[in-house]
Amino acid sequence: MQHNSLPGHSSLELEIRRARVEDCVALRALLIDTYRGTWLPQLSIEAAEAFEREDRLGQYVNEAWEQFWIAARDQQVCGVVHWRDDFIEALHVSRTHQGMGIGSTLLELAEQQMAAAGVSLFRLETDTFNTQSLAFYRKHGYQEIDRYPDTEWNSDFTTVLMHKLRR
């Protein structure tokens, strides 16, 4: 377990740790929060209904929670990062905790852990409409290397593949 004070928020203690089974409800709620704030406004009604009917977020949490690292403040899950090999699968911070350095802390953790496993090139995807995400990753040294149709959302979204070389 790692405890950090957030940059510019010295009184805000942040716990970084592996997810536990008892975090699954909070993890699903966090992903729903970021889905509603980011993707839902961009989706067609049909795509949103299908996404929610299929409970993709619940399935994702159920299948992968043991691989998640979380950020918690006052016992409340406020961020999550998940990576496999050289690929960052997910990085989410609740809307009420954005702008506090939690995403940067989780991204740094993922990069450190991947580097310790011998990875020298970190990869991730985001979408062109997600300008907040694009700016965040660019600020952290990621560069766009490709664009292609996003098939996950049954939409006209364009996925942006980004990478960063380990320093």
Side-chain angles (χ1 to χ4, degrees):
M1 278 188 248
Q2 179 180 352
H3 294 276
N4 298 328
S5 290
L6 296 171
H9 302 272
S10 59
S11 64
L12 302 179
E13 192 72 20
L14 187 68
E15 178 186 20
I16 306 294
R17 62 173 172 77
R18 295 296 298 250
R20 301 186 285 243
V21 69
E22 59 266 24
D23 296 319
C24 287
V25 170
L27 286 164
R28 186 175 183 281
L30 169 67
L31 293 176
I32 288 170
D33 174 64
T34 59
Y35 159 76
R36 287 182 177 155
T38 305
W39 290 274
L40 183 58
Q42 306 296 323
L43 292 174
S44 69
I45 293 171
E46 297 81 21
E49 288 173 350
F51 183 79
E52 292 177 28
R53 183 177 53 252
E54 295 165 8
D55 191 24
R56 290 191 207 167
L57 296 175
Q59 290 176 21
Y60 176 50
V61 170
N62 290 340
E63 293 169 4
W65 70 267
E66 293 177 280
Q67 300 167 28
F68 292 176
W69 282 80
I70 66 164
R73 196 176 116 213
D74 297 328
Q75 312 284 321
Q76 178 187 3
V77 174
C78 55
V80 63
V81 66
H82 172 216
W83 67 90
R84 287 187 194 138
D85 303 319
D86 69 340
F87 196 86
I88 297 171
E89 299 281 343
L91 175 61
H92 296 265
V93 175
S94 71
R95 289 183 282 171
T96 58
H97 290 91
Q98 290 180 3
M100 297 180 171
I102 295 169
S104 297
T105 298
L106 289 171
L107 182 61
E108 183 179 323
L109 168 73
E111 291 175 354
Q112 288 173 353
Q113 295 289 319
M114 288 189 292
V119 172
S120 60
L121 181 69
F122 313 129
R123 298 178 313 121
L124 57 86
E125 291 177 332
T126 190
D127 284 291
T128 53
F129 76 82
N130 195 344
T131 56
Q132 180 181 358
S133 174
L134 285 165
F136 173 82
Y137 289 122
R138 286 180 180 132
K139 178 179 129 185
H140 287 84
Y142 284 80
Q143 298 176 331
E144 179 179 331
I145 56 172
D146 199 5
R147 288 182 180 218
Y148 37 87
D150 183 331
T151 58
E152 180 180 1
W153 294 99
N154 190 21
S155 67
D156 291 329
F157 297 161
T158 300
T159 296
V160 178
L161 177 64
M162 302 181 88
H163 76 184
K164 175 181 174 178
L165 286 170
R166 182 176 90 192
R167 291 183 185 164

